[in-house]
Amino acid sequence: MGIRAFRLKTFLASAGLVAGAVLVAAPAASAAPADGVVQSPQADRSAQGQAEKFWTPERLRGARPVAQDVPKVAAQTRSASPVLTPGGDQFGNAQLARPYTSDFNTRVTGKIFFVNPRDGLTYVCSGSVINSSGKSVVATAAHCVFQGAAGQSVWSQNLIFIPSYDNNSRPLGTWSAATFWIPTTYFNHGNDGVTHEDDVASVAIAAQGTSKITNVVGGLGWVPNNSGTINGWDTHGYPQEMYGGQNQLHCIGNGRDAGGFNGDTYLFTNNCVAFGGWSGGPVINGSNQLLAVTSGSDRSTNTFYARAASNTWVAVLNAAQAAGF
């Protein structure tokens, strides 16, 4: 059975109502699609500073999971089989040891917060710092940064990244986004509530004075392509649904290249079940390299989907690097 036929198309972002929020106005148009990517308007330093001030402790904690878009009635969640994570629960997930700053993979993983201008709600995703020529890139899912329908330029606002986020604590600071890149293919089909193979994004992180995020936090290496059987990887994230979003969790899995559309791939496994808020979290191999970012989870067939790095991923990373990030 093809991957499109049986997957449960669910977003893993979470949302919360913004009470009395003052939002950063989004420009009407994005940069023109070029070389397989689309860039969001770039935030100026004033907007970046406003984003950091916007995220009070109350707003950080106030996000809650959104309802699944498809299907309208969620399928029964099945347990992971088998559970490979030491100390893992029935879904394969286990809390990571604190402090998160003491281990490389927990240190570079963090929580993304943003406002969707379409509904005025606050949302949360996961992400990770990766190595880039400009030392300023975070990898996440496209649906965390792009909110438009097909070809419609609507981008997340007030987006920040908090590495090693720990129960409302910001041990390595708060970092504002300067701009984002997503694949042109994702821009063309839009953020439609469906899990897609091209659900990847690079987030350019603004420097704090002379400090760049990769120099402060570290960064994962990345794999330009992978296929076949990929075993023993470790995915990290901050699931809001089921787990409250205040702790960093991980899951160890074995997977395989499931094959997708247009030569793209999914990483398919039965060992991990991702929940709302895990979107964009890294899938890491034993060499501290990013294999994929989390996109969705099929609750009915006990599978976990992450976008395996390939042609669309390389384009969004190269665009960020070409821009100096």
Side-chain angles (χ1 to χ4, degrees), residues 130-210:
I130 62 170
N131 289 328
S132 64
S133 55
K135 309 294 185 184
S136 303
V137 175
V138 163
T140 191
H143 71 258
C144 299
V145 305
F146 181 68
Q147 308 306 327
Q152 184 181 40
S153 185
V154 181
W155 301 87
S156 298
Q157 298 176 5
N158 286 351
L159 191 144
I160 61 169
F161 176 73
I162 303 177
S164 299
Y165 176 91
D166 183 357
N167 196 24
N168 235 8
S169 173
R170 315 180 193 195
L172 296 173
T174 301
W175 299 78
S176 297
T179 188
F180 329 118
W181 289 266
I182 63 171
T184 302
T185 52
Y186 195 94
F187 182 83
N188 288 341
H189 62 63
N191 186 335
D192 54 8
V194 177
T195 301
H196 291 278
E197 290 84 344
D198 52 8
D199 187 14
V200 291
S202 57
V203 179
I205 299 296
Q208 295 185 353
T210 59

Side-chain angles (χ1 to χ4, degrees), residues 24-27 39-52 158-159 176-180 204-207 325:
V24 177
Q39 181 184 356
S40 72
Q42 187 159 338
D44 59 26
R45 292 198 177 276
S46 173
Q48 293 164 15
Q50 184 175 344
E52 293 181 22
N158 286 351
L159 191 144
S176 297
T179 188
F180 329 118
I205 299 296
F325 293 95

Side-chain angles (χ1 to χ4, degrees), residues 14-21 23 54-55 58-66 114-116 119-123:
S14 305
L17 182 63
V18 181
L23 305 183
F54 172 82
W55 290 104
E58 293 74 23
R59 285 180 175 145
L60 292 181
R61 193 178 289 277
R64 64 184 187 270
V66 296
F114 64 93
V115 174
N116 182 340
D119 56 17
L121 299 177
T122 56
Y123 287 75

Side-chain angles (χ1 to χ4, degrees), residues 35-37 183 185 197-198 200 223-226 261-265 307-318:
D35 300 322
V37 301
T185 52
E197 290 84 344
D198 52 8
V200 291
V223 179
N225 203 353
N226 50 65
F261 320 126
N262 303 318
D264 297 335
T265 59
R307 175 61 175 76
S310 65
N311 55 330
T312 52
W313 161 243
V314 172
V316 296
L317 176 59
N318 285 344

Side-chain angles (χ1 to χ4, degrees), residues 7-23:
R7 70 187 178 192
L8 173 64
K9 300 153 186 168
T10 175
F11 273 147
L12 300 180
S14 305
L17 182 63
V18 181
V22 178
L23 305 183

